[in-house]
Amino acid sequence: MPPIGRRTALKFIAGSVAGGMTWSTLPWARAATAAPATGSQAGDAVLGIAFDQRMHTRLSAWGKPLTDWQPSEVLLLDGDQIGDFSLSGQQAHDLDDPRHGRGRQVVFTGRAAQGVEKQVAVSWFEALPGLALLQVRYRNLGDTPLSVTGWRSSAHVLREAPGGFWSFSGSTHTDRRDWVQPLGEDFDQRNSLAMDSSDYGGGTPVANLWRRDVGLAVGHVEPVPRPLAMPVKRTAAGASIAIEGQQPITLAPGAELVTERTFLAVHRGDFYAPLQQYRQFMAAEGIEGPRPPDSAFAPIWCAWGYERDFTVKQIVDTLPKAQALGFEWAVLDDGWQTNEGDWKIDLKKFPRGDADMRAFTAQVRQHGMRPRLWLAPLAADPGSDVLHDHVDMLLLDKTGAFQTVTWWNALTQCPAYQPVIDFYVALVKKIIGDWGFEGIKLDGQHLNAVAPCYNPAHRHARPEDSVEGLARFWQAIYHAAHEANPEAVVELCPCGTAFAFHNLPATDQYPASDPLSSWQVRSKGKSIKALMGHRSSYAGDHVELSDQRDDFASTVGIGAVISTKFTWPRDTEHPAEPLPPGGFVLTPEREALWRKWVDLYKAHMLPKGEYLGTLYDIGFDRPETHVIAKDGAQYYTFYAPRFDGQVELRGLSAGRWKVRDLFNARELGVVQGPTARLPASFERFLFLQATPETAA
């Protein structure tokens, strides 16, 4: 966290201040001199941030007090902090930004007894009600250096309320915990965006804390990943949230520290609304996902049920069954290659090498399906030729040590080193353009984020070039695939991690990424729908990873692409990982269920609908409910182990609606919008379609 110059500060409004202000008159260029007003405040009709004479803040929501006075923006020292600043002035400016539209900024200035000046710039835009952008500058006006360990912003406590609290975290954890969790009595989660281990890290830079009536979200809006933390904690008074940067520096006399651009948002309901606002802001900044081809919504069969020891005959013999059930993708998974790193064809399985791989993709197409190939870039196995011949490709830490990919016992390559980029671009062009695959599945928890790289051979300007270069690496892969085939599908599956938002714009499909439960399929899905919008293709991952290994309802009901890894006509034993009870074989009972869900999926194609994520709170509303609007109809899926009572159909337009139980093919009668209640009794799920009574 080196001191940052004035031209870096407040870059999100550079050239956009109404009235033609120039850089020489922006707030960082001179201290504010206007006298502070009593009850100094910034914000809009949704979120208000009031400053007192100590520069402590108090939040209000929709005009009503929300928090107590708190030192929300502080400078962290070794074992101490500077949180009291005497407010000395404020300046206000109208904004007219070509990306974000009209808004307003207020800059508050104060000075601490320790000789540190603080300026807090609070900006908001009409297009983003309830969301404030904050950036803070600390300047050492004293005569002696100041040892700083970091900073904290938007630190607030929500008081206890009936029902307690829930949280969303976009950070990654090695235990692959839920992204969405209730806060138990001892809940304390730092939510760091740095590396949690050598191959787990990064994520979506947003954390959210909410209770039944209101919630707060924090995050950063930088165009590249930043190793900040977003701690959420249960407290004696309620629950707290903040955003922090921690990196020790010495602030010399006259030097300044400027924080990253962060945001604070107030909202009702769960995490969906603030994630939507974050996506909206970042899209205006130029970070937005692509519109995937139609094939990204086709049902997927993956050969991973046979695992690494598959035979080509097993896969080819399964294709007719997969095609007959309605699956349109056939994914050749891990095991086709000699090792991770060289990515050469295993001649034991494909004796003629390239010719056999071309023949394989041709066979897939002959069965009316599309071939996709599994790949784990940036991993080099011990014993691989690339590791021996190109050790310069490796990512090294500050001690010169290797970074490992634990799942494959491999070493991590640096995504910002041009020879690494060139190697994988050439490989992807060969996979798509020569072998004839129509998609690639990029897999591995190490794909989400990497550590700073200190390899002297790379001549990085900064060690963080590797961290920030990962998204550009994925862009290179994405463009290579689409140059070879404009309709190619690029799937990014960072196993078990919270998706790194900055990587997703180079992705056509985002899977549930090795979910540990049906809850993760649904809660991850709601997150992705908010972050990537209606254009996105989110896949529920193999249904065999869901509850009872057959929960297609959790995929279909949230508008996700269905996927399976069934085997047929028999299973293969896997010594390294024993089969679950019943295995993966497609029994007659499973075949009937799989066929039913594929037919329902194709008949309604809910991934192409509009996910209405603000109608229900995933934490507090029971039963858990997800809604999708498509072609004039609304689809409601309710989830609970068992439910007897009334379900509520929200978001209908006024008028009469016919309701049908799609899974059981039963008409349930007519209800009246805009909110209707219906008696219901079900186990696991209830999948309903509501259509206007006058519809044909």
Side-chain angles (χ1 to χ4, degrees):
M1 191 190 302
I4 300 176
R6 292 174 182 172
R7 288 190 177 272
T8 303
L10 290 180
K11 54 192 171 185
F12 55 83
I13 63 162
S16 65
V17 179
M21 294 182 68
T22 65
W23 271 108
S24 63
T25 58
L26 279 177
W28 284 171
R30 56 185 173 87
T33 56
T38 302
S40 300
Q41 182 162 316
D44 57 19
V46 178
L47 170 63
I49 306 177
F51 286 75
D52 68 9
Q53 291 299 312
R54 296 181 298 170
M55 294 191 75
H56 291 195
T57 64
R58 182 176 65 187
L59 303 182
S60 59
W62 293 276
K64 297 181 179 180
L66 181 60
T67 66
D68 297 329
W69 292 102
Q70 295 155 348
S72 54
E73 283 70 44
V74 303
L75 191 64
L76 302 175
L77 310 178
D78 187 11
D80 199 0
Q81 66 181 38
I82 302 177
D84 289 346
F85 296 80
S86 179
L87 181 64
S88 61
Q90 65 188 68
Q91 290 179 313
H93 313 283
D94 289 328
L95 305 178
D96 191 4
D97 190 281
R99 294 161 297 181
H100 304 292
R102 296 180 61 82
R104 190 163 176 79
Q105 180 187 76
V106 182
V107 180
F108 299 89
T109 300
R111 183 167 177 173
Q114 295 90 336
V116 176
E117 179 187 72
K118 178 172 78 171
Q119 286 188 303
V120 183
V122 185
S123 307
W124 65 98
F125 294 94
E126 294 175 1
L128 298 166
L131 184 145
L133 299 173
L134 290 92
Q135 194 165 29
V136 186
R137 185 189 75 164
Y138 298 96
R139 185 165 59 170
N140 184 5
L141 300 182
D143 298 326
T144 60
L146 189 64
S147 295
V148 175
T149 60
W151 53 268
R152 180 183 302 125
S153 290
S154 297
H156 298 283
V157 175
L158 285 180
R159 286 196 170 275
E160 188 67 62
F165 299 89
W166 281 74
S167 77
F168 164 86
S169 168
S171 60
T172 290
H173 303 87
T174 56
D175 60 9
R176 302 187 178 188
R177 68 190 62 174
D178 294 341
W179 303 357
V180 183
Q181 305 174 72
L183 270 64
E185 291 184 0
D186 58 348
F187 189 92
D188 186 355
Q189 193 163 289
R190 180 148 182 77
N191 297 329
S192 171
L193 295 166
M195 299 302 291
D196 197 41
S197 72
S198 63
D199 53 349
Y200 280 83
T204 295
V206 180
N208 187 210
L209 167 69
W210 80 95
R211 62 192 192 199
R212 191 180 295 274
D213 62 329
V214 71
L216 291 176
V218 300
H220 81 71
V221 292
E222 294 295 331
V224 293
R226 297 293 194 208
L228 306 183
M230 306 167 293
V232 173
K233 183 177 181 179
R234 203 68 156 87
T235 69
S240 65
I241 192 169
I243 185 165
E244 296 180 358
Q246 290 196 332
Q247 184 176 343
I249 63 167
T250 298
L251 209 57
E256 61 185 36
L257 181 157
V258 180
T259 71
E260 278 84 352
R261 299 178 296 162
T262 66
F263 73 85
L264 172 68
V266 67
H267 63 94
R268 293 190 176 109
D270 61 30
F271 57 85
Y272 190 84
L275 286 186
Q276 268 194 320
Q277 287 192 315
Y278 171 73
R279 172 176 61 84
Q280 182 181 346
F281 184 91
M282 299 306 287
E285 295 279 299
I287 301 178
E288 187 175 21
R291 187 173 296 279
D294 279 346
S295 61
F297 300 96
I300 302 164
W301 174 75
C302 180
W304 185 236
Y306 296 113
E307 295 203 0
R308 292 186 183 91
D309 54 357
F310 71 83
T311 67
V312 176
K313 185 178 186 306
Q314 284 174 323
I315 296 175
V316 172
D317 286 351
T318 309
L319 293 177
K321 179 62 69 175
Q323 191 274 337
L325 286 173
F327 292 95
E328 299 177 29
W329 280 101
V331 182
L332 179 59
D333 213 286
D334 188 3
W336 64 267
Q337 74 286 0
T338 54
N339 57 51
E340 288 78 33
D342 295 336
W343 300 108
K344 296 177 182 178
I345 297 172
D346 183 353
L347 299 182
K348 296 177 182 177
K349 296 177 179 177
F350 301 91
R352 297 183 301 149
D354 292 347
D356 273 352
M357 197 62 90
R358 295 187 202 103
F360 175 79
T361 60
Q363 283 183 295
V364 172
R365 276 187 285 274
Q366 287 169 8
H367 285 89
M369 301 180 73
R370 299 173 183 269
R372 188 182 305 188
L373 186 66
W374 176 91
L375 188 66
L378 301 179
D381 286 347
S384 62
D385 292 340
V386 71
L387 186 57
H388 179 271
D389 299 337
H390 298 284
V391 68
D392 59 299
M393 289 184 175
L394 292 177
L395 189 152
L396 303 179
D397 68 15
K398 62 176 61 177
T399 69
F402 305 135
Q403 296 294 291
T404 59
V405 182
T406 56
W407 185 261
W408 292 288
N409 190 31
L411 304 183
T412 305
Q413 297 167 315
C414 178
Y417 185 44
Q418 193 61 46
V420 174
I421 300 171
D422 295 342
F423 177 88
Y424 284 103
V425 164
L427 176 61
V428 168
K429 287 184 176 180
K430 185 178 185 68
I431 290 169
I432 304 294
D434 181 10
W435 295 347
F437 287 92
E438 298 179 37
I440 50 175
K441 176 183 178 180
L442 305 169
D443 190 40
Q445 71 273 4
H446 67 293
L447 306 184
N448 212 49
V450 297
C453 181
Y454 293 82
N455 192 328
H458 301 177
R459 298 182 179 180
H460 295 313
R462 300 177 301 126
E464 291 77 17
D465 284 356
S466 58
V467 179
E468 299 173 9
L470 183 59
R472 292 189 289 273
F473 175 82
W474 295 128
Q475 285 285 350
I477 296 295
Y478 179 85
H479 289 306
H482 286 264
E483 284 177 8
N485 180 351
E487 296 300 308
V489 170
V490 177
E491 174 190 2
L492 182 59
C493 181
C495 310
T497 64
F499 292 108
F501 179 83
H502 296 86
N503 297 342
L504 294 185
T507 312
D508 293 305
Q509 188 171 74
Y510 332 99
S513 190
D514 290 346
L516 300 178
S517 65
S518 292
W519 165 255
Q520 286 196 353
V521 173
R522 300 192 300 269
S523 56
K524 288 181 177 184
K526 186 164 190 174
S527 306
I528 293 298
K529 296 287 184 179
L531 288 168
M532 300 310 295
H534 309 313
R535 69 170 60 203
S536 65
S537 169
Y538 168 71
D541 213 329
H542 307 144
V543 71
E544 291 81 4
L545 296 172
S546 68
D547 294 353
Q548 299 184 33
R549 300 189 302 281
D550 65 356
D551 186 13
F552 280 107
S554 283
T555 296
V556 174
I558 61 166
V561 179
I562 57 175
S563 170
T564 179
K565 59 177 181 179
F566 73 79
T567 59
W568 187 85
R570 63 187 61 86
D571 270 320
T572 299
E573 289 296 332
H574 309 131
E577 188 174 345
L579 290 168
F584 301 127
V585 65
L586 190 70
T587 62
E589 295 77 17
R590 287 176 179 171
E591 181 173 350
L593 183 61
W594 267 230
R595 188 183 301 276
K596 184 173 186 176
W597 277 113
V598 173
D599 289 347
L600 282 169
Y601 174 81
K602 287 190 168 185
H604 301 282
M605 285 303 295
L606 297 189
K608 294 188 176 183
E610 180 183 0
Y611 182 86
L612 305 179
T614 60
L615 288 178
Y616 295 86
D617 185 324
I618 199 172
F620 289 103
D621 284 332
R622 292 293 177 269
E624 177 191 338
T625 311
H626 300 261
V627 190
I628 295 170
K630 184 173 184 288
D631 300 332
Q634 297 210 161
Y635 296 82
Y636 296 80
T637 311
F638 302 91
Y639 302 94
R642 179 172 181 79
F643 182 83
D644 287 288
Q646 284 196 331
V647 294
E648 191 171 80
L649 278 59
R650 301 174 188 170
L652 298 169
S653 60
R656 290 166 58 85
W657 293 74
K658 296 183 297 182
V659 181
R660 178 175 175 80
D661 177 344
L662 290 175
F663 185 78
N664 295 301
R666 293 185 302 141
E667 301 298 334
L668 300 184
V670 177
V671 298
Q672 185 77 30
T675 299
R677 291 173 178 83
L678 197 69
S681 177
F682 64 88
E683 292 184 3
R684 301 182 69 186
F685 69 89
L686 178 64
F687 183 33
L688 303 182
Q689 178 193 46
T691 55
E693 191 177 33
T694 56

